[in-house]
């Protein structure tokens, strides 16, 4: 009871609350029954979630494109000769909403700092390989593209750092918390400690994701930035467990599997519910039966699977499957083409012809609702 009260107190302090529909569903056994429990809980919660109202505004802005192996992107489903590498575009999403205390809030989702991501062991090793290969610079230019820094996005939207209440990532792969929350220690290669990117904003993070950074398994290591918590004030993190709703029209649903603490952003708009995470990198991952990427539809047909996971890490592949069904159940059909769901990958397969035939079958290209306002805080 004491732990439950502490969790409630933490949520109340940020104007949030837990979601009872999902209580216990991730403990159901056997696994087939668990999947059904997750599906039913998501359907029940979706009804109540939509009745509660819509967000004030949401806007996505591209940050950068970076390389990613094709075999990870579609669980080895691609069956034709192609480049072994594709590009994924990270998008930062700013969401404004009213919390359960009636306070206007501004949330920043996926504020990736590209310089920090480049220091994750996987990308650091990839860059070392490119540097050794003749023409490596051409490869780098072919794959990478820089659009904006998170601070530039705020300026474009007419916001300042002090306007931001919270930031969050679906998980902390390739993220350096020091570059976002600030640090008392100097990052290697820099001359001074980093100051917070978003003023006194807190980072919302699932307790299991933060614990992973504090005590990492070797199978997780390559995708996390070494030392990313060094000198970071622990009070800058607002931790939560399970599934929470931050306010009217916005929730963070626990979607474990890709990582233990993975969570998905869910928002309700005048066009219905949108979901965002990196459980997939294109709609083809969630709806393989509609995919034109060679092999992805066959993966669906041969294995009888409703999804095709993004699989660079499968800390629990069955959990990730269940989580993607949870996301599919929550998402509404797209108004432009109702065959497709309103799922916006937090990092999305670039629709570049240079990577044909591994290009997304359908792309939303971002979201834009309402008017982002400064001075709400």
């Amino acid at each position: 009871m004491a732990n439950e009260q502490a969790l409630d107190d933490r949520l109340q302090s940020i104007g949030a609350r837990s979601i009872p529909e999902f209580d216990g569903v991730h403990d159901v056994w056997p696994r087939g029954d668990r999947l059904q429990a997750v599906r039913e809980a998501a359907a029940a919660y979706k009804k109540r979630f939509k009745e509660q109202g819509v967000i004030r505004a949401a806007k996505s802005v591209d940050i950068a494109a970076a390389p990613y192996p094709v075999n990870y992107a579609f669980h080895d489903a691609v069956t034709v000769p192609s480049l072994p590498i594709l590009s994924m575009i990270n998008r930062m999403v700013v969401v404004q909403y009213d919390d359960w205390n009636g306070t206007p809030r501004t949330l920043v989702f996926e504020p990736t700092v590209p310089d920090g991501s480049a220091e994750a062991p996987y990308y650091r090793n990839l860059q070392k390989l490119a540097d050794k290969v003749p023409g490596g610079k051409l490869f780098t230019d072919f794959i990478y593209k820089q659009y904006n820094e998170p601070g530039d996005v705020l300026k474009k939207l007419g916001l300042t750092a002090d306007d931001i209440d919270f930031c969050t990532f679906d998980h902390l792969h390739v993220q350096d918390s020091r570059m976002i929350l600030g640090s008392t220690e100097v990052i290697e290669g820099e001359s001074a400690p980093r100051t917070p990117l978003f003023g006194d904003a807190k980072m919302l993070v699932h307790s299991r994701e933060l614990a992973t950074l504090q005590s990492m398994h070797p199978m997780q290591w390559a995708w996390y930035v070494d030392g990313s918590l060094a000198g970071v004030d622990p009070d800058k993190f607002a931790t939560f467990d399970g599934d929470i709703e931050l306010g009217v029209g916005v929730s963070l649903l626990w979607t474990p599997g890709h990582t233990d603490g993975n969570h998905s952003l869910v928002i309700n708009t005048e066009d219905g519910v949108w979901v965002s995470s990196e459980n997939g990198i294109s709609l083809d991952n969630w709806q393989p039966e509609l995919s034109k990427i060679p092999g992805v539809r066959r993966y669906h047909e041969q294995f009888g699977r409703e999804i095709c996971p993004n699989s660079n890490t499968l800390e629990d592949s069955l959990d990730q499957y269940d989580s993607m069904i949870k996301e599919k159940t929550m998402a509404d059909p797209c108004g432009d083409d109702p065959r497709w769901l309103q799922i916006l990958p937090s990092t999305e397969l670039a629709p570049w012809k240079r990577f044909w035939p591994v290009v997304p079958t359908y792309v939303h290209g971002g979201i834009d609702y309402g008017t982002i306002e400064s001075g709400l805080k």
Side-chain angles (χ1 to χ4, degrees):
M1 286 294 294
N3 288 339
E4 290 181 8
Q5 186 58 52
L7 173 60
D8 287 342
D9 291 343
R10 289 204 308 271
L11 292 180
Q12 288 176 14
S13 71
I14 60 173
R17 62 193 187 190
S18 60
I19 301 174
E21 283 88 345
F22 294 109
D23 287 350
V25 296
H26 292 285
D27 299 321
V28 172
W29 189 265
R31 296 303 297 260
D33 289 350
R34 183 183 304 181
L35 172 60
Q36 185 59 25
V38 168
R39 197 190 305 268
E40 292 174 356
Y45 175 59
K46 180 178 181 177
K47 183 177 184 298
R48 182 170 68 84
F49 177 68
K50 295 187 71 169
E51 290 172 348
Q52 291 174 164
V54 300
I55 56 169
R56 285 171 168 257
K59 173 73 173 178
S60 66
V61 180
D62 293 355
I63 296 291
Y68 195 64
V70 172
N71 63 323
Y72 289 163
F74 298 102
H75 203 199
D76 290 319
V78 174
T79 56
V80 296
S82 65
L83 290 172
I85 293 288
L86 48 78
S87 273
M88 301 189 304
I89 298 173
N90 171 262
R91 292 190 177 100
M92 173 171 143
V93 184
V94 177
V95 181
Q96 293 190 319
Y97 63 96
D98 293 315
D99 73 14
W100 297 116
N101 296 324
T103 304
R105 298 287 197 176
T106 301
L107 168 72
V108 173
F109 181 61
E110 299 293 317
T112 297
V113 179
D115 286 347
S117 298
E119 292 305 312
Y122 175 81
Y123 282 115
R124 192 170 60 239
N125 292 338
L126 186 63
Q127 186 60 55
K128 287 179 181 177
L129 178 62
D131 291 342
K132 292 179 181 179
V133 175
K137 177 66 164 59
L138 293 175
F139 166 79
T140 300
D141 292 343
F142 183 74
I143 296 288
Y144 288 95
K145 189 170 179 62
Q146 181 79 38
Y147 299 104
N148 297 283
E149 293 279 351
D152 298 332
V153 174
L154 295 188
K155 292 176 183 177
K156 288 186 174 185
L157 298 181
L159 298 174
T160 69
D162 291 334
D163 285 315
I164 309 306
D165 294 283
F166 306 111
C167 63
T168 193
F169 295 88
D170 53 356
H171 62 289
L172 291 173
H173 279 176
V174 308
Q175 306 302 335
D176 192 334
S177 300
R178 298 170 296 181
M179 295 188 176
I180 298 148
L181 299 178
S183 174
T184 58
E185 299 182 16
V186 179
I187 297 173
E188 183 179 355
E190 300 189 1
S191 58
R194 288 267 180 157
T195 57
L197 196 58
F198 302 121
D200 61 359
K202 291 182 179 290
M203 181 183 288
L204 299 166
V205 60
H206 196 283
S207 61
R208 293 195 180 195
E209 192 70 11
L210 187 58
T212 294
L213 283 175
Q214 295 165 337
S215 181
M216 198 172 302
H217 189 281
M219 291 295 288
Q220 299 168 317
W221 171 79
W223 295 95
Y224 288 96
V225 176
D226 291 332
S228 64
L229 295 180
V232 177
D233 182 357
D235 289 338
K236 295 286 283 184
F237 292 101
T239 59
F240 63 93
D241 292 295
D243 307 81
I244 63 172
E245 45 188 18
L246 296 177
V248 178
V250 57
S251 295
L252 299 178
L253 300 189
W254 184 34
T255 48
H258 186 70
T259 71
D260 291 317
N262 202 86
H263 65 268
S264 305
L265 175 69
V266 182
I267 61 173
N268 191 26
T269 72
E270 58 260 37
D271 290 331
V273 178
W274 284 85
V275 177
S276 184
S277 84
E278 202 182 286
N279 277 315
I281 68 160
S282 72
L283 282 165
D284 300 77
N285 293 96
W286 282 274
Q287 298 181 265
E289 72 280 4
L290 299 178
S291 179
K292 294 181 180 178
I293 298 173
V296 175
R297 184 181 299 185
R298 186 180 299 117
Y299 174 98
H300 154 72
E301 293 169 347
Q302 288 184 340
F303 294 105
R305 295 172 183 168
E306 297 173 70
I307 56 89
C308 179
N310 171 25
S311 60
N312 65 314
T313 58
L314 284 172
E315 295 186 9
D316 189 318
S317 59
L318 275 69
D319 270 346
Q320 186 169 350
Y321 189 106
D322 296 354
S323 292
M324 294 177 75
I325 297 302
K326 188 176 187 177
E327 293 168 331
K328 288 181 69 170
T329 304
M330 289 296 301
D332 275 324
C334 173
D336 291 339
D337 187 340
R339 294 177 304 163
W340 296 97
L341 294 171
Q342 290 185 156
I343 297 176
L344 185 72
S346 57
T347 307
E348 188 168 28
L349 174 60
W352 297 347
K353 292 181 180 179
R354 69 187 73 168
F355 295 112
W356 186 89
V358 187
V359 293
T361 307
Y362 188 87
V363 178
H364 291 302
I367 56 174
D368 189 358
Y369 290 97
T371 301
I372 299 293
E373 299 179 71
S374 181
L376 294 181
K377 191 172 179 181

